[in-house]
Amino acid sequence: MTDAATEPTAEPMSEPAAGQTRDLSNARDMIVCEDVSKWYGDFQALDGISTTIKEQEVVVVLGPSGSGKSTWIRCINRLEVHQEGRIVVDDVELTNDLRNIEQIRSEVGMVFQQFNLFPHLKVIDNVSLAPIWVRKKPRVEAEEQAMALLERVGIPEQAHKYPGQLSGGQQQRVAIARALAMEPRIMLFDEVTSALDPEMVKEVLDIMKTLALSGMTMMVVTHEMGFAKEVADRIIFMEEGQIVEQGTPQHFFENPTEDRTKLFLSQIL
Amino acid sequence: MSEFTGLGADLGMSTGTIPAVASPQTPKLPPREWVRANLFSSPFNSVLTVVSSLIILAITRGLLSFIFNPQRQWDATATNLRLLMTQAYPEEQYLRIWVSVAVILTLTGLSLAVWRAGSAVSIANVGRRLLSFGCTLALFALLAPFSARATIIWLLIAVAVAGGGGTLRRLADSERTISTLALVLIGLSGLVGSLWVVPYGNHTFELHRTPRVIAEPGTVALSTKFPWTIMLLIAVAAYFLGTYLRDRGSLNATRTTLALLWLLMPPVLLYLVLRDPDFDMGHVFGTDIPIFLACAVLGGALLNWLARPSTGEIGRIVAALVLIAAFATFLTPMRMIVRLDLLMLAAFALAAPTFSGGPRARRNYVIGWLGLLGVMSWLVTAVNTPSTIEVPGQFFLGGLSLTLMVAIFTIVISFPLGLALALARTSNMPIFRLLATWFIEFVRGVPMITILIFFSIMVPLFLPPGMHLSEVAAVIIGYSLFSAAYLAENVRGGLQSVTRGQHEAAEAVGMTTSQKTMFIVLPQALRVSIPPLVGHCIGVFKETSLLAIIGLFDVLYIARNVMPNQTEFMGSTKENILFVSLIYWLFCYQMSKASQRLEQRTGLGER
């Protein structure tokens, strides 16, 4: 595996298993949000979000529909523009400067609910296109890396098909491989299993678990409570554009402090 | 015939990528029940069937009586074929025309092989087609106003065709297939072979001293049948060369080379082969080549530096400065070629960050620059060199060749222009958007005839002194601008069909706007726009007939105004128009079919 982003970092990790509280207090800050707000016209989508996400941390964002989860995660690679506050990703502040945006986007991988694969390109070209043109890798090297990634997500035999010929789960796995091909330091997952048939959810979640174990910094918007319990270092619960409560999975699922969180949990569990 | 089956097998394999899924077919009805179920299912349907059949029969009979009326002057078309194709192109230079046709056919043959055109059809199906063709032929023979003897001959031919088709259908194994290309080849060989055998009659226009028509019985003139035979052989040879290249060489390199050759073909044929320019070598070596070399070396070095990823922001500033310098040259007296070179360099410099990369990417980029610069320099030189072909009238081509030339040049020029306009109109930058919108709305609000007249009469008046633009060139520029405005609107529809998710996915992997446009948005937008784009191309081809208004001799003008005024063929307008419409239909129908095949091919990957 030549993929640098997936190699575990040199510093020894205290525990191999995810889900248990890891001590990340010494890790450096990957994403810093300070008082981030955003409006769509008169509607306030984000209302003073402040939090810090450490390197290697896996953060799961929960909350009812329309609570601003997706808007927030999309602000982090500037698919949406925040209007107030600061977002600093890997020590680069998000501003209107195009070079900053392009630099951050090539270091932040994103996987979408609707896959958004490029339908006119074969699977392998979907994965290798950005490394060739953005990272300026030689084509042969980029294709070798793409094949290695497809093997990692378990579908090397589909490399020369078009996305339309694949099942939903396979497409989402290609989308993950496409994001990983840029060797990102952070991965954003925006409700990646919501558009999948139930029997395909597991194959995608399994890959995300392996990724989390390999030490990737991840921010996951999802409705999969099992995944949140098992993999997350921290759970952030949002409503109406605000962070209502955050904490470890044990804290969040077993003894939440806020009434709103209790109501949410009683509705979904 | 073994080579044909070999050909068929070869092509059959290539289309075998789609798995043949045997779906449970609805059982075929026997003819009588089919007729009952589809044509006479209710009293109202029966009436409709009877009435429409009567109308079709009446129309067919009317058309056949018109065509085969002995008063028709079909020898007008037969005698004037050369006029219809090339107007007054001198006979002693006709080899140039044949060379051009040969080049086009060679490229066609190569492309058919390299792009694996054609599909396999089952022989039984061919038999069925022949059978129905024979039946139609028999019907025509009965309807046409032939003498009894001619009717019997035609009926015999029809029965032979139908019988052949019927036996083919019954005897052929349903698995056996034949390539459509092989069928086309059989048909074309039959046509070319018939030139040597069938007494079509030998029609010539004798131009020496007093023009007179010579019409002799027998096969067509040697100057017709011999070149066409050679052309057929060249096309077949090119096809087999193409299959060899496809299987032995690198496929992508061959395809790129072929696409470039297609793009180069129109100007090379027109300016180098057909026009036979009389180059002034002193000027070429003294001025043109030094300017080219200077631009090539300086531009190449600049672009090599700009395409280095480490150059960064300062590269964009330099590129903008080059653009300003290019515009500034228009304010001072200067050779046009220098201005054009600088403009092109500015475009390349602005696009350099998109294509930046390692030594290999940079080398490719500089090679692209050198190639385009070379073609443009040569083209400008060739255009400014007087032609040695002497013809009466203002342009050395006329008839179908003029029609085709204007259509091809217009489509080739207006395509990138239309793309640029569509992108500008959908861009985020207000200046581009506004300019593009105004241009499109203005051009679409003006009739095309106005634009043609404007460009043929007015534009030469506005040109700076010393710059000369031939009328045909001016008209092609005007027509291209007109066509680009419509094309832009077609492409814009395609651009809007690319979903927001595609834009976001491209942005999320860090692509710049130009990379996103080139690799993600445009390919998808163009695929959606294929049907309207081909419709547009058909329109461009047919509207070249408006060239007659500004005094150019296109094929329709010759048929309508020139041939009926020849003393021998007074009043042959109707026949000529019918013949010309057949020519137009042939070309447009082929474009339409090509569009359908293109849609099927490009749609393969989706869903």
Side-chain angles (χ1 to χ4, degrees):
Chain A
M1 183 81 23
T2 54
D3 189 357
T6 59
E7 282 168 17
T9 42
E11 94 190 62
M13 282 164 57
S14 52
E15 86 303 70
Q20 289 149 26
T21 322
R22 298 188 280 184
D23 182 21
L24 291 166
S25 52
N26 293 329
R28 63 192 209 93
D29 297 346
M30 272 315 257
I31 305 173
V32 179
C33 295
E34 284 174 13
D35 210 17
V36 175
S37 296
K38 174 174 178 62
W39 287 263
Y40 291 112
D42 287 338
F43 174 74
Q44 186 162 15
L46 295 180
D47 183 2
I49 301 239
S50 296
T51 191
T52 302
I53 294 170
K54 301 279 187 186
E55 191 165 13
Q56 300 206 358
E57 190 173 8
V58 178
V59 173
V60 170
V61 185
L62 298 176
S65 313
S67 59
K69 309 179 298 274
S70 287
T71 309
W72 180 31
I73 202 176
R74 288 157 60 86
C75 279
I76 286 168
N77 67 351
R78 202 124 175 131
L79 288 181
E80 305 278 354
V81 179
H82 62 283
Q83 284 136 349
E84 275 178 16
R86 289 176 75 213
I87 299 179
V88 181
V89 178
D90 200 12
D91 297 334
V92 182
E93 178 166 4
L94 277 177
T95 57
N96 274 329
D97 190 333
L98 263 177
R99 277 172 308 161
N100 276 2
I101 297 173
E102 276 162 20
Q103 189 193 338
I104 285 172
R105 279 180 180 160
S106 61
E107 286 181 17
V108 179
M110 182 153 190
V111 186
F112 300 86
Q113 180 177 4
Q114 297 297 340
F115 327 138
N116 293 343
L117 292 178
F118 307 130
H120 59 297
L121 297 177
K122 286 180 181 154
V123 164
I124 186 151
D125 298 325
N126 262 281
V127 180
S128 61
L129 184 70
I132 292 173
W133 289 101
V134 182
R135 286 262 188 262
K136 314 284 181 196
K137 271 194 186 178
R139 179 175 291 273
V140 182
E141 197 181 306
E143 283 180 356
E144 272 170 18
Q145 180 211 16
M147 273 318 286
L149 281 170
L150 288 174
E151 231 153 82
R152 194 159 145 217
V153 297
I155 41 173
E157 71 282 0
Q158 314 285 2
H160 294 281
K161 286 190 183 166
Y162 285 95
Q165 297 164 308
L166 269 54
S167 75
Q170 290 171 330
Q171 290 195 43
Q172 196 60 294
R173 288 193 269 166
V174 174
I176 293 175
R178 178 178 68 181
L180 288 178
M182 287 296 289
E183 300 173 357
R185 303 171 66 85
I186 304 169
M187 285 285 283
L188 308 176
F189 293 86
D190 187 6
E191 305 205 19
V192 291
T193 52
S194 303
L196 294 179
D197 292 342
E199 69 263 34
M200 292 169 184
V201 169
K202 189 174 173 295
E203 61 186 54
V204 172
L205 288 183
D206 283 345
I207 287 168
M208 288 165 66
K209 276 177 208 163
T210 352
L211 199 59
L213 282 176
S214 73
M216 174 72 77
T217 313
M218 284 166 63
M219 212 173 145
V220 184
V221 171
T222 187
H223 295 292
E224 297 293 329
M225 295 303 148
F227 177 80
K229 249 182 217 171
E230 195 184 335
V231 181
D233 292 308
R234 177 158 49 126
I235 290 183
I236 295 180
F237 178 69
M238 285 180 73
E239 178 161 55
E240 291 179 348
Q242 293 176 323
I243 294 181
V244 176
E245 181 163 8
Q246 49 180 317
T248 61
Q250 287 98 324
H251 163 82
F252 182 80
F253 286 105
E254 283 153 29
N255 46 3
T257 42
E258 301 290 324
D259 291 341
R260 186 60 193 90
T261 318
K262 288 176 192 161
L263 179 67
F264 176 74
L265 288 173
S266 70
Q267 281 165 342
I268 55 160
L269 293 178
Chain B
M1 200 58 57
S2 63
E3 64 188 288
F4 295 153
T5 48
L7 206 74
D10 176 33
L11 283 143
M13 287 238 304
S14 66
T15 52
T17 46
I18 311 161
V21 182
S23 61
Q25 279 190 344
T26 42
K28 258 207 176 133
L29 292 172
R32 251 178 82 183
E33 285 177 40
W34 184 90
V35 167
R36 258 188 87 122
N38 290 288
L39 299 178
F40 298 98
S41 57
S42 70
F44 179 64
N45 274 0
S46 312
V47 172
L48 273 187
T49 306
V50 171
V51 170
S52 46
S53 316
L54 285 177
I55 292 175
I56 292 171
L57 284 181
I59 291 176
T60 318
R61 184 170 167 80
L63 194 65
L64 288 171
S65 334
F66 174 82
I67 293 175
F68 293 102
N69 191 321
Q71 287 181 342
R72 292 279 90 82
Q73 301 175 308
W74 288 112
D75 49 345
T77 353
T79 312
N80 283 304
L81 267 182
R82 173 174 288 179
L83 189 70
L84 280 170
M85 295 302 145
T86 56
Q87 205 212 349
Y89 202 83
E91 194 177 347
E92 61 276 9
Q93 300 269 28
Y94 229 65
L95 187 63
R96 295 176 181 279
I97 301 270
W98 287 119
V99 168
S100 307
V101 176
V103 168
I104 295 174
L105 285 178
T106 310
L107 283 180
T108 312
L110 286 172
S111 306
L112 285 178
V114 169
W115 270 279
R116 299 177 182 279
S119 53
V121 287
S122 76
I123 293 186
N125 203 356
V126 176
R128 198 151 40 235
R129 292 272 174 88
L130 277 179
L131 183 64
S132 59
F133 176 70
C135 294
T136 320
L137 204 61
L139 186 70
F140 280 10
L142 290 174
L143 285 174
F146 288 151
S147 64
R149 186 164 161 271
T151 309
I152 289 171
I153 292 176
W154 277 105
L155 270 180
L156 284 178
I157 294 176
V159 168
V161 170
T167 35
L168 209 58
R169 187 174 73 132
R170 202 158 322 121
L171 294 183
D173 189 347
S174 63
E175 300 291 304
R176 285 286 296 272
T177 58
I178 185 168
S179 153
T180 45
L181 286 183
L183 284 178
V184 169
L185 183 57
I186 294 172
L188 288 181
S189 316
L191 271 181
V192 170
S194 77
L195 290 180
W196 294 90
V197 183
V198 179
Y200 292 114
N202 188 345
H203 302 267
T204 1
F205 227 129
E206 190 67 57
L207 274 173
H208 300 296
R209 292 190 202 129
T210 45
R212 64 199 178 90
V213 173
I214 297 173
E216 291 162 351
T219 57
V220 295
L222 191 68
S223 63
T224 304
K225 57 190 176 190
F226 181 65
W228 279 117
T229 314
I230 301 283
M231 292 301 134
L232 183 71
L233 293 178
I234 286 179
V236 175
Y239 179 84
F240 283 106
L241 180 66
T243 52
Y244 177 80
L245 287 176
R246 179 186 74 196
D247 298 333
R248 304 291 138 76
S250 142
L251 189 61
N252 278 336
T254 321
R255 285 184 175 176
T256 318
T257 319
L258 263 181
L260 281 178
L261 284 178
W262 272 112
L263 271 182
L264 271 180
M265 184 267 289
V268 169
L269 286 188
L270 187 70
Y271 286 111
L272 213 58
V273 179
L274 289 175
R275 195 161 167 273
D276 189 22
D278 184 18
F279 285 113
D280 173 3
M281 282 307 160
H283 190 268
V284 169
F285 283 111
T287 319
D288 296 331
I289 291 185
I291 290 180
F292 165 73
L293 285 180
C295 286
V297 172
L298 294 178
L302 177 71
L303 289 174
N304 190 27
W305 174 69
L306 285 176
R308 218 179 267 275
S310 55
T311 303
E313 198 62 13
I314 192 144
R316 295 183 202 226
I317 298 171
V318 171
L321 285 179
V322 176
L323 185 66
I324 294 171
F327 280 126
T329 53
F330 282 85
L331 302 175
T332 56
M334 190 168 289
R335 284 189 171 277
M336 202 62 195
I337 177 75
V338 180
R339 296 171 177 162
L340 292 175
D341 284 352
L342 271 175
L343 268 183
M344 207 168 75
L345 180 63
F348 265 79
L350 285 170
T354 301
F355 296 95
S356 68
R360 203 185 145 86
R362 288 210 297 277
R363 199 193 62 202
N364 285 345
Y365 199 57
V366 172
I367 288 176
W369 153 254
L370 293 180
L372 215 58
L373 183 74
V375 168
M376 200 181 71
S377 305
W378 164 74
L379 207 62
V380 170
T381 309
V383 169
N384 288 330
T385 308
S387 164
T388 50
I389 302 287
E390 277 181 26
V391 284
Q394 46 183 322
F395 193 61
F396 62 93
L397 284 180
L400 184 64
S401 50
L402 177 72
T403 300
L404 281 177
M405 186 206 93
V406 173
I408 290 172
F409 272 82
T410 304
I411 290 169
V412 169
I413 296 174
S414 68
F415 193 76
L417 214 59
L419 278 190
L421 276 174
L423 289 173
R425 198 172 178 180
T426 50
S427 105
N428 292 327
M429 285 180 259
I431 294 185
F432 285 148
R433 200 169 55 222
L434 212 65
L435 282 177
T437 313
W438 280 358
F439 176 82
I440 291 171
E441 293 306 334
F442 176 75
V443 171
R444 290 206 306 170
V446 176
M448 186 176 131
I449 295 178
T450 324
I451 289 183
L452 290 185
I453 293 174
F454 177 81
F455 271 85
S456 68
I457 300 173
M458 306 287 282
V459 165
L461 299 180
F462 287 123
L463 286 177
M467 192 178 160
H468 176 74
L469 197 63
S470 82
E471 191 174 18
V472 175
V475 164
I476 287 181
I477 292 174
Y479 196 11
S480 304
L481 291 178
F482 181 82
S483 149
Y486 280 87
L487 209 137
E489 287 300 278
N490 290 338
V491 174
R492 191 165 68 101
L495 286 176
Q496 279 166 349
S497 76
V498 178
T499 59
R500 200 168 150 55
Q502 291 291 315
H503 288 265
E504 286 178 352
E507 283 162 15
V509 286
M511 289 192 194
T512 61
T513 310
S514 39
Q515 286 169 343
K516 179 181 76 176
T517 308
M518 200 148 93
F519 302 122
I520 307 301
V521 178
L522 271 186
Q524 296 186 54
L526 287 181
R527 180 163 66 178
V528 176
S529 323
I530 289 173
L533 284 181
V534 174
H536 178 77
C537 290
I538 291 177
V540 167
F541 177 71
K542 288 190 299 187
E543 279 164 28
T544 50
S545 49
L546 287 175
L547 291 178
I549 285 170
I550 53 153
L552 288 173
F553 285 67
D554 81 305
V555 65
L556 182 63
Y557 186 80
I558 290 177
R560 200 175 69 95
N561 290 26
V562 178
M563 284 159 59
N565 290 332
Q566 294 165 339
T567 24
E568 294 84 1
F569 307 120
M570 280 293 183
S572 60
T573 320
K574 287 182 227 156
E575 296 89 327
N576 303 338
I577 298 281
L578 196 66
F579 180 72
V580 169
S581 48
L582 182 73
I583 295 182
Y584 274 113
W585 176 80
L586 269 180
F587 278 93
C588 295
Y589 183 65
Q590 285 313 314
M591 283 196 239
S592 171
K593 291 296 269 187
S595 138
Q596 283 170 17
R597 278 184 296 245
L598 202 62
E599 273 170 64
Q600 279 171 3
R601 263 189 169 211
T602 53
L604 183 72
E606 206 177 30
R607 245 146 292 202

